[in-house]
Amino acid sequence: QVQLVESGGDLVQPGGSLKLSCAASGFPFNFYTMAWYRQAPGKGRELVGDITHNGITNYAGSVKGRFTVSRDNTKYTAYLQMDSLKPEDTAVYYCYVFYLGKEFWGQGTQVTVSS
């Protein structure tokens, strides 16, 4: 079955960096767009960025220029590099794939930006 497992969340100071990973299994990873979403306390889930099977990326305006989505098709893993972090980036970050007409989510990883 499809599994998405995020890792790398942590407490980081404003201006710092963090890299999240999403290990995928149970579907042909190389052929599907992978996305990162986040959900801050009291807010809805929002798209952070995504990457197509061949590496084309798309970002939310709030993170453009600071975050980078990448993937390693040999490792079935997607990444989210986050730089110049701000307190408003504090959220649970989720990995997502839409496969065979269904949505699949990871369990999420907590990112807290605070001094």
Side-chain angles (χ1 to χ4, degrees), residues 17-85:
S17 297
L18 210 54
K19 188 173 185 176
L20 308 183
S21 299
C22 171
S25 62
F27 67 101
F29 179 85
N30 297 4
F31 297 101
Y32 286 84
T33 294
M34 298 299 298
W36 287 94
Y37 284 76
R38 68 184 181 186
Q39 187 165 18
K43 295 188 176 181
R45 200 168 292 192
E46 64 171 356
L47 176 69
V48 175
D50 56 33
I51 183 167
T52 64
H53 70 285
N54 58 349
I56 298 172
T57 55
N58 169 62
Y59 298 96
S62 59
V63 306
K64 196 173 293 186
R66 299 189 298 122
F67 289 13
T68 304
V69 180
S70 62
R71 66 191 295 158
D72 186 337
N73 286 343
T74 67
K75 296 182 178 179
Y76 271 42
T77 301
Y79 303 98
L80 178 64
Q81 175 68 44
M82 304 183 291
D83 299 316
S84 302
L85 282 161

Side-chain angles (χ1 to χ4, degrees), residues 37-41 45 89-94 107-111:
Y37 284 76
R38 68 184 181 186
Q39 187 165 18
R45 200 168 292 192
D89 294 319
T90 294
V92 178
Y93 284 72
Y94 298 91
Q107 83 287 352
T109 186
Q110 176 70 47
V111 173

